[in-house]
Amino acid sequence: MSLQLRRSLFVITLIAAITACSFKTLYNNLDSLIPRYVEDMVSLDAMLEEKLESRTQALLVWHRNTQLLQYANWLRAIQQDIGPRLTEQRVQQRISEAEQFWQAITVKVAAEMAQLLPLLSQQQLQQLFDSIKESNDDFLDDYIAIDEQARREKYFDNLYEVYENWLGELSDEQEAAITKASQALVSTAEKQLQRRLDWQNGIRKILAGDENRQQKSAALRQFFSGFEYYDTPAMKANQDINRGIVARLTVRISQNLSQQQETFFISKTEETIRMLTELAEDR
């Protein structure tokens, strides 16, 4: 599945998860959970830990104040879209909007990374790169070093989970449509892994230079801003193919909703909008 589509599905799944009360509690505790996650990757001294906690708090304030209501409005728009009049073009538009949500988060996180990474010692950087390598190895095992049937099953499971989460129990016809779509999706896993390696090597090269911390921060900001929006022509072509497949699948499923599924969808989106609004107002 293409990188762009995976990001869009991630955002959609993230928004869906907010409907759970447990996730609401989790969101409200991210200011402590994110530093813990980072410290699992690299050991921090007291000064760096304090800086990380401060920057994490600022990042979460930004996300709560600027992003959550956008998610709620996005879901309200989807409520108006769903049904027999839904078009492939409109689905493509909504996927693009989800991608913009991801990009907004990425830009903010990159800005924080540009400030914090030059503060790490060589030992800490090695720990970080070792952790990234483990993540890359897991990605290779999960998405590349598998046979075609296993890959198609992953595609099916990812798509089925998203539609079932928003519509409830799916019909045999809808499941068959998901199966057909999952067979047509194009893998970009190898290209994604190469992108991850290029990202890691770019950071390593900047941080290994003789420049001071301010210069390295500036170089990282420039690197991140240019890297995030760069895709090879082959990657873009595969993204277009996969987006078209998912858009057509969504239209087909939307045009064959049962009354029970429509009721489930409205109830789920209304609850999600309520949760998002409450989190945005809980400042």
Side-chain angles (χ1 to χ4, degrees):
M1 197 175 301
S2 73
L3 177 64
Q4 189 177 49
L5 184 56
R6 285 175 56 79
R7 290 171 175 173
S8 300
L9 291 178
F10 170 80
V11 172
I12 294 168
T13 304
L14 172 64
I15 294 172
I18 295 175
T19 60
C21 292
S22 59
F23 187 86
K24 185 176 180 181
T25 301
L26 177 66
Y27 187 91
N28 285 327
N29 286 280
L30 283 176
D31 56 343
S32 61
L33 293 175
I34 291 177
R36 280 188 223 166
Y37 173 79
V38 173
E39 289 187 77
D40 284 341
M41 299 178 65
V42 54
S43 300
L44 301 178
D45 55 34
M47 183 272 291
L48 281 172
E49 185 175 350
E50 182 178 353
K51 283 185 176 294
L52 175 61
E53 291 175 354
S54 174
R55 299 317 307 163
T56 298
Q57 185 63 42
L59 180 64
L60 292 173
V61 168
W62 165 83
H63 189 262
R64 188 186 298 269
N65 290 344
T66 68
Q67 300 301 293
L68 295 182
L69 289 182
Q70 289 191 59
Y71 299 166
N73 290 333
W74 183 72
L75 286 176
R76 290 189 183 97
I78 291 177
Q79 284 183 328
Q80 301 300 314
D81 294 337
I82 203 72
R85 292 178 295 179
L86 182 64
T87 65
E88 182 179 341
Q89 181 180 10
R90 183 55 57 88
V91 177
Q92 292 266 16
Q93 177 184 342
R94 299 304 177 209
I95 293 176
S96 294
E97 290 165 354
E99 173 73 6
Q100 290 170 16
F101 295 150
W102 172 267
Q103 289 176 349
I105 295 172
T106 302
V107 168
K108 293 297 289 188
V109 171
E112 301 302 335
M113 290 175 61
Q115 291 294 322
L116 293 173
L117 286 175
L119 301 176
L120 297 178
S121 68
Q122 288 303 311
Q123 181 179 1
Q124 290 169 324
L125 286 173
Q126 189 58 52
Q127 285 183 328
L128 176 63
F129 289 128
D130 287 344
S131 295
I132 294 175
K133 183 180 183 303
E134 289 182 15
S135 176
N136 289 339
D137 290 342
D138 290 341
F139 182 87
L140 188 150
D141 291 339
D142 291 341
Y143 294 99
I144 298 176
I146 58 176
D147 60 32
E148 188 64 19
Q149 180 178 351
R151 182 175 293 111
R152 297 299 167 189
E153 289 174 355
K154 280 183 177 290
Y155 294 166
F156 174 86
D157 290 342
N158 288 340
L159 290 173
Y160 192 96
E161 182 180 358
V162 170
Y163 291 109
E164 183 183 43
N165 184 73
W166 289 102
L167 301 176
E169 185 176 355
L170 301 177
S171 68
D172 292 343
E173 180 183 355
Q174 290 165 337
E175 182 174 344
I178 294 173
T179 299
K180 182 178 180 180
S182 66
Q183 295 298 314
L185 288 169
V186 180
S187 173
T188 59
E190 292 185 7
K191 295 181 179 65
Q192 291 180 49
L193 179 58
Q194 186 57 55
R195 181 187 176 94
R196 292 161 70 113
L197 294 173
D198 291 344
W199 181 83
Q200 178 182 345
N201 291 334
I203 294 174
R204 188 191 293 269
K205 182 178 179 180
I206 291 171
L207 295 176
D210 296 329
E211 295 80 7
N212 60 37
R213 289 175 179 173
Q214 290 76 18
Q215 290 170 325
K216 288 180 179 179
S217 290
L220 285 170
R221 285 195 297 273
Q222 183 176 4
F223 173 74
F224 290 143
S225 64
F227 190 88
E228 176 57 27
Y229 300 102
Y230 173 74
D231 284 317
T232 64
M235 178 74 83
K236 290 180 179 178
N238 288 342
Q239 287 172 350
D240 289 342
I241 291 171
N242 289 341
R243 282 172 60 127
I245 291 168
V246 171
R248 288 188 291 275
L249 172 63
T250 302
V251 169
R252 180 173 178 180
I253 290 178
S254 178
Q255 291 175 344
N256 292 279
L257 295 181
S258 67
Q259 185 59 53
Q260 183 178 4
Q261 287 174 330
E262 290 183 13
T263 301
F264 186 99
F265 176 76
I266 294 301
S267 176
K268 182 64 175 282
T269 50
E270 285 294 340
E271 177 65 10
T272 308
I273 290 168
R274 183 184 67 81
M275 286 281 188
L276 290 166
T277 303
E278 287 181 359
L279 283 169
E281 293 173 350
D282 185 17
R283 303 172 182 174

